[in-house]
Amino acid sequence: GQSLEQPSEVTAVEGAIVQINCTYQTSGFYGLSWYQQHDGGAPTFLSYNALDGLEETGRFSSFLSRSDSYGYLLLQELQMKDSASYFCAVEGEDSSYKLIFGSGTRLLVRP
Amino acid sequence: DGGITQSPKYLFRKEGQNVTLSCEQNLNHDAMYWYRQDPGQGLRLIYYSQIVNDFQKGDIAEGYSVSREKKESFPLTVTSAQKNPTAFYLCASSPAEAGELFFGEGSRLTVL
């Protein structure tokens, strides 16, 4: 079956850099997605990595290593508004139309 | 503005009642999804639909039903067979395969 593992909680200071890791197990891999969700809100898409390497979008970067079944989300110059839950996700083994989410990492940014 | 509209935002129901959650999108996306989220948890897939008049069960379909008669609409019915329906329900759509999903604001269902 499929599974994704990520830390349940991470705390960091405003202005710092934080890395949120995600390891996955799946027999059919298409790519790794990252979503952000503020409390009570809807998830919003951050990034998608289909190939190995680092993708940068502003303060956020996402990395993928297919050989290690591992990826991470890197948040730089942390701001208070970055306090949220972050989910990694992969497409389903039986259908690329299914997106399976990890249980999420709650990031708390302190002043 | 293009987007996904879910209604109602909050819903209370008595045990034994069926309720239907609405999801409408004007993004012209082919694929639509329903997820359930419990407090402090990740998102679990209930049903998904790749195209009109077709839908597939996700990981937790028992006690739920859907229809996809129009491209824009994907309503979810929470039936009385769902043992623990109190949760946050999220509808989403995507233009093709599930790399990037666009979510609605969610419907919070509470069973009294």
Side-chain angles (χ1 to χ4, degrees):
Chain A
Q2 291 179 286
S3 66
L4 297 104
E5 283 195 26
Q6 46 181 137
S8 58
E9 203 169 285
V10 172
T11 302
V13 178
E14 198 174 10
I17 299 173
V18 73
Q19 178 174 312
I20 299 174
N21 298 321
C22 174
T23 57
Y24 58 86
Q25 277 190 316
T26 179
S27 60
F29 180 78
Y30 298 89
L32 185 70
S33 304
W34 288 94
Y35 287 78
Q36 178 192 61
Q37 185 182 31
H38 288 98
D39 282 349
T44 56
F45 173 81
L46 292 176
S47 68
Y48 178 77
N49 293 62
L51 303 175
D52 287 356
L54 189 69
E55 300 258 354
E56 298 181 53
T57 309
R59 294 188 298 114
F60 292 7
S61 303
S62 56
F63 172 82
L64 175 66
S65 168
R66 293 172 67 117
S67 60
D68 294 323
S69 298
Y70 164 76
Y72 65 73
L73 182 69
L74 191 74
L75 295 82
Q76 302 182 73
E77 299 171 23
L78 280 173
Q79 302 175 9
M80 299 298 290
K81 67 178 182 179
D82 297 329
S83 291
S85 292
Y86 294 84
F87 297 89
C88 57
V90 295
E91 282 101 325
E93 289 172 331
D94 52 346
S95 169
S96 60
Y97 279 86
K98 291 171 66 172
L99 197 63
I100 309 301
F101 286 80
S103 54
T105 298
R106 191 171 180 84
L107 171 64
L108 176 62
V109 179
R110 297 180 304 170
Chain B
D1 278 11
I4 300 178
T5 302
Q6 289 187 238
S7 63
K9 206 168 174 122
Y10 299 94
L11 184 61
F12 298 88
R13 91 155 203 217
K14 294 181 181 177
E15 279 192 29
Q17 288 181 333
N18 291 358
V19 293
T20 297
L21 307 180
S22 169
C23 179
E24 303 278 331
Q25 56 103 355
N26 59 5
L27 299 168
N28 200 33
H29 287 170
D30 284 319
M32 295 188 75
Y33 308 79
W34 274 105
Y35 284 90
R36 168 182 172 141
Q37 187 174 34
D38 293 286
Q41 304 294 314
L43 285 71
R44 292 186 290 167
L45 183 63
I46 305 173
Y47 270 97
Y48 67 102
S49 168
Q50 294 175 217
I51 200 164
V52 176
N53 292 321
D54 183 58
F55 50 83
Q56 308 294 331
K57 291 182 180 179
D59 298 322
I60 56 164
E62 187 175 345
Y64 300 98
S65 66
V66 293
S67 63
R68 187 85 189 275
E69 297 174 3
K70 298 188 299 182
K71 187 175 185 178
E72 304 79 21
S73 180
F74 192 42
L76 173 75
T77 297
V78 184
T79 76
S80 56
Q82 169 51 235
K83 297 300 178 204
N84 186 19
T86 295
F88 188 44
Y89 291 89
L90 287 155
C91 179
S93 70
S94 67
E97 287 90 350
E100 180 178 356
L101 263 55
F102 295 78
F103 283 87
E105 291 300 310
S107 292
R108 198 169 295 277
L109 172 64
T110 302
V111 173
L112 304 171

